[in-house]
Amino acid sequence: MKTIQFTFFSMLALMCLHAQAQFKVNTKSIKAATTAAKAVTLSDDEVIGYAKEYMVWMDENNPVAPDDDELAQRLAKLTSGLTDYDGLNLNFKVYLVRDVNAFACADGSVRVCAGLMQVMDDNEVLGVIGHEIGHVKNKDSKDAFRTALLSSALKDGVGSQGGTAGALSDSKLGELGTAVANSSFSRSQESAADLYGYALLRAQDVNPWYMATAFESLAEQSEGAEKASTMQRLMSSHPDTEKRIKVMSEKATKEGFEKPAK
Ligand SMILES: [Zn+2]
């Protein structure tokens, strides 16, 4: 029996099904910058550098499933062949937390929460992962991360190291987490990521109907009282779930696929 640890986390919507998964972030409030904002620009490489650093911190501060964990092995099998996909360098890990969630970071890190893997079958999880990879491929993750970097208290420290990403202190990383938590994707970004996930399923020879059933699983979960608080947040970040189910299912049907039996 797996022990799912409680999360301490304040909410963070590092995107995805993003919902507001409860990943651990420093809850210290962001101090309003009192100095005039500097005109800071960050190159893509700098943003990726900070994203890598951020993910090291995230992995150190969240319960990453060890290699011999059942869910870790399931994810590894699911994502074999995806570490180098569509020109992207990707890495995948399970967080042993109950959140029904997943997210991707600008550096190509994809994290899937145990709670999501427990309510979805493999093909649905793959659909969600495809959606997340879509955000990376479409640079949504990078844009959101850049915005978080520049809008947080970091703006006084970021970009001042002469063009390279400098090491961030724990408190700075916490502030960054809070800023990331406040970011979200637009409706069109979500739709594009859905289409990307759909295409990924097809490329993997999986019935793309699973994109729609993944969302159906989420909608069903939201009706369970026990998880209401988490799920309401999740669904509120994706108010168009019904519409997205419709778009994905109609596309699959039009392309000759039948809804899989559950
Ligand atoms: Zn998304």
Side-chain angles (χ1 to χ4, degrees):
M1 177 63 90
K2 175 173 305 302
T3 300
I4 302 298
Q5 302 185 22
F6 286 92
T7 58
F8 307 99
F9 318 131
S10 67
M11 305 196 335
L12 176 150
L14 223 193
M15 325 302 132
C16 210
L17 259 203
H18 347 215
Q20 324 259 14
Q22 299 176 315
F23 302 105
K24 185 173 186 178
V25 296
N26 188 324
T27 54
K28 196 189 302 179
S29 61
I30 298 174
K31 286 180 200 147
T34 50
T35 53
K38 286 182 285 192
V40 176
T41 56
L42 287 171
S43 70
D44 281 1
D45 284 348
E46 287 173 316
V47 173
I48 298 301
Y50 281 114
K52 284 183 194 295
E53 191 179 343
Y54 177 70
M55 286 310 303
V56 167
W57 184 85
M58 284 290 283
D59 287 349
E60 284 173 353
N61 286 277
N62 286 285
V64 175
D67 289 345
D68 62 352
D69 178 89
E70 187 186 339
L71 291 180
Q73 291 181 353
R74 192 177 147 209
L75 185 72
K77 195 174 169 190
L78 258 177
T79 57
S80 66
L82 289 180
T83 51
D84 182 8
Y85 182 82
D86 201 7
L88 302 169
N89 284 315
L90 305 168
N91 69 87
F92 304 89
K93 289 179 183 176
V94 178
Y95 281 173
L96 295 176
V97 296
R98 297 184 301 176
D99 308 79
V100 180
N101 207 351
F103 72 90
C105 193
D107 68 328
S109 296
V110 178
R111 299 294 178 263
V112 184
C113 296
L116 184 135
M117 296 191 74
Q118 287 165 337
V119 300
M120 290 188 186
D121 68 24
D122 284 356
N123 292 328
E124 291 170 338
V125 173
L126 190 60
V128 171
I129 288 170
H131 172 101
E132 296 306 323
I133 295 173
H135 282 311
V136 178
K137 182 67 183 181
N138 297 339
K139 302 194 181 343
D140 302 338
S141 304
K142 192 187 292 177
D143 292 344
F145 197 80
R146 185 195 308 273
T147 299
L149 278 165
L150 296 178
S151 65
S152 72
L154 291 174
K155 67 175 178 280
D156 291 326
V158 164
S160 61
Q161 287 94 3
T164 55
L168 298 171
S169 65
D170 265 11
S171 67
K172 286 290 184 194
L173 284 162
E175 290 169 8
L176 177 60
T178 304
V180 169
N182 289 327
S183 62
S184 63
F185 292 140
S186 70
R187 191 174 298 183
S188 63
Q189 285 175 315
E190 295 299 352
S191 296
D194 288 351
L195 284 172
Y196 191 93
Y198 181 101
L200 182 143
L201 288 181
R202 288 208 61 175
Q204 301 294 109
D205 286 327
V206 172
N207 184 342
W209 247 102
Y210 282 107
M211 206 69 220
T213 65
F215 293 143
E216 285 176 352
S217 293
L218 289 175
E220 285 166 17
Q221 286 296 308
S222 72
E223 290 165 10
E226 187 191 347
K227 294 185 175 177
S229 60
T230 297
M231 295 307 298
Q232 278 166 8
R233 290 197 289 269
L234 188 150
M235 301 310 280
S236 69
S237 76
H238 280 167
D240 300 329
T241 300
E242 289 303 321
K243 188 184 171 197
R244 295 167 75 190
I245 291 171
K246 190 164 180 284
V247 169
M248 289 291 104
S249 60
E250 286 180 355
K251 182 173 171 61
T253 300
K254 191 177 165 190
E255 295 179 7
F257 295 92
E258 289 187 13
K259 183 174 186 178
K262 286 290 272 185

